[in-house]
């Protein structure tokens, strides 16, 4: 019997290690692949974790209840209070796994994530720590699984991708790097992974790149997948509620778009490399030089648009452009990916908890009332259906009567050759991109003559049909005039919206040329879609005011960059072209925005930064700190977003240009509910 193996793939278990056994039982998994934030912490790790990282770990820990998080992460709690409250049992179950109180029931293959203790990983690499069924994948360690008729080669790259830290080892001893409870990938780590993959290269294997950073977001990771000849990639997400499955062909407009993503990654690395090249060359040894050269070869791996010598295709495209498949996973608390390997085929099943939209039912904003509308409630039980009724098949009607009024023609008439019954002209050759094939002038004159003859012949063929339709229409009108009392019974009643619908005169030309497409005449029962000139504002946005010029990079570094959830920084320009003293910073979710809000009144280069939640004008606060509040205070998307985040607005705003009282929000005071 053919073998069948189910592998469960997930990311960010976040120290809840006992859940691995539960998940293996639920999915009947024979092995588990994990993509980072495993929870490599022990009791002595707490003192090495920075205040910001410790708060982040407490915020997303599945070992802390929601009520306890609300008390622990209250704005009134100082970092020292949080540190005195949090112990290792609230962060990770790794000590229980290390002592044997928790035993892994199936093999677990994992890389480390962005929030781990580098000291613990160094102990695994040195052989001081060893746990049954736990296999840490790193740049020098690879595993090959012979399952389901294939050989699955697992290659791993741990840590976040932070380009300006790729030549900084932090507290790491060799090629890995980390410090203060965080870990990041290095150039030497990438170079050694390439060296390992080249040494174990076997064309009979199926290669899987497992990384914490996503190749969908990071061009360098996508370049690494090309160098490693990866067939599949599995990576972690940024607290996503849904997993994604894609190849580059499905998300890029064209091959040049794929190359552009890789070029952007190379450009960012080159800026860092040009800055530190002299210092690095002075301190690396012979072996590190080999690894560095391999890392630099990754950055140069950008496919050419020109056909390669001996290429089988005319375009010379990189095969991975269509053949390499990528999975980006959601947090383990929200879902997982199950790979079912059977007879050499890898099937995938994604399970995601998804977003919760139930809060919209309690929204207090304006709700448009739609006339003649009703809400149907669907039961959670299986609907019952009546058994089919046996009866004779009705005889076909020679001229079926349309259920629409006589004045309404089907929108499909005249739009398709198959529906209209007309022949498709054969005088035009269409290319795959929708353009016509050019021809010489003589053939064009012949084509025009042929087209005129075709139109005349078509009119002659369609003339009897048009005359018949006109006669039917006249007879129907005469019948309607003769029997006005029964006309309403023969036509379906239309729902009235309370507004009169203009009806065209009989003589109005509503048909297109030769009786083509005709707009249906109906009585609308809907409401007009409201429009607004207000631009879209991301709901998790902070407003900043400062006294001197700052750049996007300054503000990115101030809030902690992508690791702290910053998705965009905007510094608007004044009409005079002078540097503004305000900025907007967008975050990926409300929790990250709350953390960023605590930066209020902190300093950049001795300059105090005022931080508050950005509001739309007319929604209970100043937008960008300028202008007076407008509107009637009925709320909008910001009010709903604050409610979903557990925030509420208090009465009163801080004076313009000041930070208010001791609240850290600066303007509108917020409180956790």
């Amino acid at each position: 019997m053919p073998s069948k193996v189910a592998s469960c793939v997930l990311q960010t278990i976040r120290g809840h290690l006992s859940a691995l056994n539960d998940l293996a039982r639920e999915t009947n998994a024979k092995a588990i692949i994990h993509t980072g934030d495993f929870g490599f912490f022990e009791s002595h790790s707490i003192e090495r974790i920075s205040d910001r990282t410790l708060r982040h770990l407490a915020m997303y820990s599945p070992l802390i209840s929601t009520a306890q998080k609300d008390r622990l992460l209250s704005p009134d709690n100082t970092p020292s209070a949080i540190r005195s409250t949090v112990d290792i049992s609230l962060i990770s179950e790794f000590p229980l796994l290390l002592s044997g109180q928790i035993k892994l029931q199936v093999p677990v293959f994992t890389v480390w994530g962005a929030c781990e203790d580098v000291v613990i990983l160094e102990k695994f690499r040195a052989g001081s720590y060893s746990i049954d069924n736990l296999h840490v994948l790193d740049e020098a360690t690879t595993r090959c699984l012979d399952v389901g008729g294939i050989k699955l080669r697992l290659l791993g790259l741990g840590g976040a991708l932070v380009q300006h830290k790729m030549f900084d080892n932090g507290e790491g001893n060799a090629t890995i790097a980390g410090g203060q409870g965080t870990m990041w990938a290095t150039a030497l780590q990438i170079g050694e992974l390439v060296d390992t993959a080249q040494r174990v290269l076997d064309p009979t294997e199926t290669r899987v790149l497992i990384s914490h950073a996503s190749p969908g977001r990071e061009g360098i990771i996508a370049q690494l997948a090309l160098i490693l000849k990866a067939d599949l990639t599995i990576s972690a997400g940024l607290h996503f509620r849904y997993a994604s499955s894609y190849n580059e062909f499905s998300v890029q407009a064209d091959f040049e778009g794929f190359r552009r993503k890789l070029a952007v990654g190379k450009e960012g690395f080159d800026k860092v490399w040009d800055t530190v090249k002299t210092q690095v060359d002075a301190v690396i040894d012979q072996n590190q030089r080999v690894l560095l050269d391999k890392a630099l070869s990754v950055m140069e791996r950008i496919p050419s648009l020109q056909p390669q010598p001996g290429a089988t295709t005319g375009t010379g495209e990189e095969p991975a452009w269509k053949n390499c498949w990528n999975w980006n996973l959601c947090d383990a608390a929200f879902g997982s990916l199950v790979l079912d390997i059977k007879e050499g085929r890898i099937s995938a099943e994604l399970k995601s908890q998804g977003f919760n939209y139930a809060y919209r039912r309690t929204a207090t904003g304006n709700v448009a009332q739609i006339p003649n509308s009703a809400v149907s409630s669907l039961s959670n039980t299986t609907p019952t259906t009546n058994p089919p009724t046996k009866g004779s098949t009705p005889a076909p009607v020679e001229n079926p009567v349309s259920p629409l009024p006589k004045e309404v023609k089907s929108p499909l008439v005249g739009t398709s050759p198959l529906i209209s019954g007309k022949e498709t002209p054969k005088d035009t050759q269409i290319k795959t991109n929708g353009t016509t094939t050019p021809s010489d002038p003589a053939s064009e004159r012949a084509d025009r003559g042929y087209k005129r003859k075709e139109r005349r012949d078509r009119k002659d063929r369609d003339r009897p049909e048009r005359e018949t339709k006109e006669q039917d229409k006249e007879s129907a009108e005469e019948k309607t005039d003769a029997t006005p009392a029964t006309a309403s019974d023969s036509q379906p009643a239309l729902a009235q919206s309370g507004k009169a619908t203009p009806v065209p005169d009989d003589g109005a030309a509503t048909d297109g040329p030769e009786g083509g497409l005709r707009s249906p005449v109906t009585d609308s029962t809907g409401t007009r879609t409201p429009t607004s000139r207000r631009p879209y504002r991301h709901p998790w946005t902070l407003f900043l005011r400062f006294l001197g010029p700052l750049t996007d990079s300054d503000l990115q570094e101030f809030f902690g960059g992508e690791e702290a959830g910053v998705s965009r920084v905007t510094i608007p320009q004044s009409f005079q072209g002078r540097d503004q003293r305000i900025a907007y910073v967008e975050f990926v979710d409300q929790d990250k925005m709350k953390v960023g809000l605590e930066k209020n009144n902190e300093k950049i280069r001795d300059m105090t930064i005022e931080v508050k939640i950005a509001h739309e004008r007319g929604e209970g606060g100043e937008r960008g700190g300028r202008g007076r509040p407008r509107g009637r205070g009925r709320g909008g998307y910001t009010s709903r977003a604050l409610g979903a985040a557990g925030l509420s607005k208090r009465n009163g705003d801080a004076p313009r240009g000041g930070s208010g009282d001791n609240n850290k929000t600066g303007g509108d005071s917020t409180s956790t509910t």
Side-chain angles (χ1 to χ4, degrees):
M1 180 177 179
S3 61
K4 175 181 178 181
V5 176
S7 293
C8 183
V9 185
L10 67 156
Q11 68 122 153
T12 55
I13 198 69
R14 298 188 185 280
H16 193 195
L17 305 181
S18 57
L20 294 172
N21 292 330
D22 299 334
L23 191 62
R25 284 192 297 268
E26 293 173 5
T27 59
N28 194 27
K30 306 303 180 186
I32 290 178
I33 298 174
H34 188 265
T35 59
D37 283 352
F38 186 80
F40 288 111
F41 294 106
E42 55 185 3
S43 57
H44 295 295
S45 302
I46 301 252
E47 61 191 31
R48 292 191 291 266
I49 302 175
S50 67
D51 291 341
R52 180 182 299 177
T53 303
L54 185 61
R55 185 182 184 88
H56 171 87
L57 291 171
M59 180 180 298
Y60 291 102
S61 174
L63 303 175
I64 306 177
S65 64
T66 302
Q68 190 175 3
K69 285 181 183 178
D70 292 341
R71 294 192 300 269
L72 183 64
L73 303 178
S74 171
D76 298 333
N77 267 1
T78 62
S80 59
I82 296 176
R83 184 172 295 276
S84 63
T85 305
V86 174
D87 59 19
I88 189 59
S89 64
L90 300 179
I91 299 299
S92 176
E93 294 176 337
F94 179 76
L96 302 179
L97 184 66
L98 188 63
S99 63
Q101 299 181 52
I102 297 177
K103 295 183 180 295
L104 299 176
Q105 303 300 321
V106 298
V108 176
F109 304 90
T110 184
V111 297
W112 57 86
C115 294
E116 315 275 15
D117 187 357
V118 66
V119 175
I120 304 297
L121 272 305
E122 290 288 6
K123 291 182 179 180
F124 272 100
R125 293 159 66 91
S128 301
Y129 282 173
S130 178
I131 298 175
D132 291 340
N133 272 340
L134 178 60
H135 307 278
V136 179
L137 301 173
D138 59 19
E139 67 279 8
T141 307
T142 178
R143 292 287 187 272
C144 183
L145 309 181
D146 194 346
V147 294
I150 65 173
K151 291 190 293 184
L152 207 62
R153 172 64 65 180
L154 305 182
L155 302 166
L157 181 73
L161 185 70
V162 185
Q163 293 191 7
H164 67 271
K165 289 187 176 182
M166 293 185 69
F167 296 94
D168 179 10
N169 280 79
E171 299 173 11
N173 293 332
T175 54
I176 68 173
Q180 297 186 329
T182 62
M183 295 190 68
W184 55 89
T186 67
L188 293 181
Q189 180 184 354
I190 292 175
E192 187 165 356
L193 178 59
V194 173
D195 181 71
T196 301
Q198 291 173 347
R199 286 188 289 103
V200 299
L201 179 61
D202 184 351
T204 65
E205 296 177 348
T206 301
R207 294 195 153 197
V208 183
L209 172 61
I210 303 165
S211 63
H212 187 69
S214 170
R217 289 173 56 90
E218 306 291 349
I220 292 178
I221 304 298
Q223 289 175 294
L224 178 62
L226 294 180
I227 287 287
L228 299 181
K229 302 184 183 299
D231 301 291
L232 307 168
T233 74
I234 304 172
S235 60
L238 297 174
H239 315 299
F240 295 157
R241 299 299 178 97
Y242 293 98
S244 57
S245 173
Y246 66 97
N247 66 348
E248 293 292 345
F249 181 78
S250 64
V251 296
Q252 301 289 351
D254 50 25
F255 187 64
E256 177 59 28
F258 175 52
R259 295 181 70 255
R260 191 178 304 113
K261 183 179 80 169
L262 304 184
V264 170
K266 178 182 182 302
E267 181 181 355
F269 176 84
D270 288 344
K271 291 180 180 178
V272 177
W273 174 237
D274 291 341
T275 304
V276 302
K277 180 178 180 180
T278 304
Q279 304 174 35
V280 172
D281 288 338
V283 297
I284 61 175
D285 57 25
Q286 185 76 19
N287 181 54
Q288 291 174 328
R289 168 60 64 183
V290 174
L291 300 182
L292 180 59
D293 290 341
K294 291 182 181 293
L296 295 177
S297 69
V298 172
M299 311 308 162
E300 299 297 330
R301 183 65 167 87
I302 298 180
S304 173
L305 282 178
Q306 301 299 324
Q308 301 294 330
T312 57
T313 61
T315 59
E317 292 178 348
E318 170 65 44
W321 153 246
K322 297 179 180 178
N323 297 339
C324 181
W325 205 263
N326 311 278
W327 286 290
N328 191 238
L329 308 181
C330 58
D331 279 10
F334 306 133
S336 61
L337 163 68
V338 177
L339 299 180
D340 194 0
I341 306 173
K342 180 181 179 181
E343 297 178 347
R345 186 180 298 276
I346 302 178
S347 61
E349 180 182 2
L350 288 170
K351 295 182 179 180
S352 304
Q353 191 180 96
F355 294 123
N356 184 359
Y357 294 100
Y359 74 91
R360 292 187 176 178
R361 296 181 65 90
T362 59
T364 58
N366 295 336
V367 180
Q369 299 296 327
I370 302 177
N372 302 326
S373 66
V375 178
S376 300
S377 178
L378 299 179
S379 173
N380 292 330
T381 59
T382 304
T384 58
T385 57
N386 295 326
T389 304
K390 294 184 179 180
S392 58
T393 303
V397 182
E398 183 175 356
N399 292 319
V401 181
S402 172
L404 298 175
K406 282 293 183 178
E407 290 81 2
V408 183
K409 288 188 178 181
S410 172
L412 297 178
V413 174
T415 62
S416 171
L418 297 178
I419 297 177
S420 64
K422 302 177 183 179
E423 292 184 21
T424 303
K426 302 179 181 179
D427 53 335
T428 305
Q429 297 179 357
I430 305 297
K431 288 185 177 180
T432 56
N433 61 359
T435 59
T436 57
T437 304
S439 57
D440 57 84
S443 62
E444 290 180 357
R445 287 194 297 272
D447 287 344
R448 285 196 294 271
Y450 176 76
K451 291 178 182 178
R452 286 195 295 270
K453 184 176 182 302
E454 275 292 304
R455 285 197 294 270
R456 288 195 299 270
D457 294 343
R458 190 161 56 248
K459 288 182 179 180
D460 293 339
R461 289 196 303 269
D462 295 344
R463 185 178 293 111
E465 182 180 354
R466 291 199 304 273
E467 293 176 354
T468 303
K469 290 182 179 179
E470 292 175 359
Q471 292 175 2
D472 292 342
K473 183 176 180 180
E474 292 175 359
S475 61
E477 292 174 352
E478 293 175 358
K479 183 177 180 180
T480 302
D481 295 339
T483 58
T486 61
S488 61
D489 298 335
S490 62
Q491 296 180 357
L494 297 178
Q496 299 297 321
S497 65
K499 300 180 182 179
T501 302
V503 179
D505 297 333
D506 293 341
T510 58
D511 282 350
E514 303 178 10
L517 179 66
R518 181 174 181 174
S519 301
V521 181
T522 59
D523 196 5
S524 172
T525 60
T527 57
R528 186 180 183 87
T529 303
T531 60
S532 173
R533 297 180 181 178
R534 177 178 296 168
Y536 168 78
R537 171 67 65 189
H538 191 283
W540 312 123
T541 304
L542 294 180
F543 165 74
L544 278 63
R545 180 184 287 116
F546 36 87
L547 301 178
L550 292 176
T551 64
D552 294 0
S553 300
D554 295 333
L555 297 179
Q556 283 274 4
E557 184 176 355
F558 178 68
F559 283 100
E562 294 185 359
E563 293 183 3
V566 177
S567 60
R568 184 179 181 184
V569 175
T570 303
I571 302 179
Q573 295 294 325
S574 64
F575 292 106
Q576 293 80 11
R578 295 177 296 181
D579 291 334
Q580 287 278 35
R581 299 298 191 265
I582 62 173
Y584 298 92
V585 180
E586 299 176 3
F587 292 83
V588 296
D589 56 37
Q590 68 270 28
D591 294 328
K592 295 295 181 60
M593 183 188 71
K594 289 181 184 179
V595 176
L597 197 59
E598 298 179 358
K599 304 285 287 185
N600 181 46
N601 290 335
E602 293 190 12
K603 294 184 178 182
I604 300 179
R605 297 194 294 269
D606 297 330
M607 186 191 324
T608 301
I609 307 300
E610 180 184 356
V611 182
K612 64 173 72 175
I613 295 177
H615 296 290
E616 294 290 350
R617 291 180 178 175
E619 293 190 348
E622 299 176 346
R623 176 181 177 181
R626 61 173 61 187
R628 299 180 59 187
R630 295 186 296 176
R632 301 183 180 180
R634 301 186 68 178
Y637 77 86
T638 305
S639 301
R640 295 195 299 272
L642 288 173
L647 300 175
S648 61
K649 292 183 285 188
R650 297 176 181 170
N651 294 330
D653 295 329
R656 178 175 177 176
S659 57
D661 51 13
N662 294 329
N663 293 323
K664 290 208 170 187
T665 54
D668 297 341
S669 300
T670 61
S671 64
T672 304
T673 58

